[in-house]
Amino acid sequence: MRANVNMFWILAGFFGFSAILYGTWSAIDEVDPGMEWAGTVALSLTTVLSAFIAFYLGRVHRAQGAELPEDRIDANIDDGDAELGFFSPWSWWPIILASGAALGFLGLAIGFWITFIAIPLVIIALVGWVYEYYRGNFAR
């Protein structure tokens, strides 16, 4: 976590320097004199955001009191990963569910009638994914 804090402080410094350089360069431009505000404000706000993230990560690191496995040089990969759950590597239901969701968003963007096709597909995919271990070869 300490490496992340340092990285975001470095990014904040870089974006701050870039904002100053960009603002100065756009102000002394010979072709179009005057400050270009959109880029200067965007880079300045990116500086502030990076500083906020660095400050937050620094506070979290200080509050947890211990080093994470990612911060230790002698740590193994298995030290940092917790079990997230069981995922079926052979299941096709997530792909069908993602297709139904994409079709639903397409219906919202193009024509609402497509959503009427997507809703049954999403329901079938959800039910199939939830109950895939209750039927067939992999029933428990």
Side-chain angles (χ1 to χ4, degrees), residues 46-69:
T46 306
T47 302
V48 171
L49 178 67
S50 297
F52 280 163
I53 293 172
F55 176 75
Y56 172 75
L57 288 177
R59 294 285 301 214
V60 168
H61 181 333
R62 199 171 309 123
Q64 75 185 6
E67 295 234 358
L68 294 176

Side-chain angles (χ1 to χ4, degrees), residues 10 33 48 55 68 84 89 101 121 138-139:
I10 291 170
V48 171
F55 176 75
L68 294 176
L84 298 174
L121 185 63
F138 301 102

Side-chain angles (χ1 to χ4, degrees), residues 13-132:
F14 169 74
F15 286 128
F17 176 73
S18 297
I20 293 169
L21 183 67
Y22 185 81
T24 306
W25 197 335
S26 67
I28 62 172
D29 187 22
E30 296 173 359
V31 177
D32 187 18
M35 173 99 44
E36 198 279 313
W37 289 103
T40 307
V41 170
L43 284 170
S44 300
L45 290 177
T46 306
T47 302
V48 171
L49 178 67
S50 297
F52 280 163
I53 293 172
F55 176 75
Y56 172 75
L57 288 177
R59 294 285 301 214
V60 168
H61 181 333
R62 199 171 309 123
Q64 75 185 6
E67 295 234 358
L68 294 176
E70 295 90 27
D71 294 330
R72 293 186 2 234
I73 294 178
D74 63 337
N76 292 324
I77 294 175
D78 293 338
D79 293 340
D81 62 346
E83 185 168 337
L84 298 174
F86 176 74
F87 301 99
S88 301
W90 45 265
S91 180
W92 288 88
W93 292 112
I95 298 171
I96 298 169
L97 182 63
S99 301
L103 202 60
F105 284 114
L106 182 71
L108 290 174
I110 293 180
F112 194 71
W113 63 272
I114 300 174
T115 309
F116 295 120
I117 299 170
I119 290 173
L121 185 63
V122 167
I123 291 171
I124 290 170
L126 276 174
V127 170
W129 198 10
V130 168
Y131 291 110
E132 72 181 338

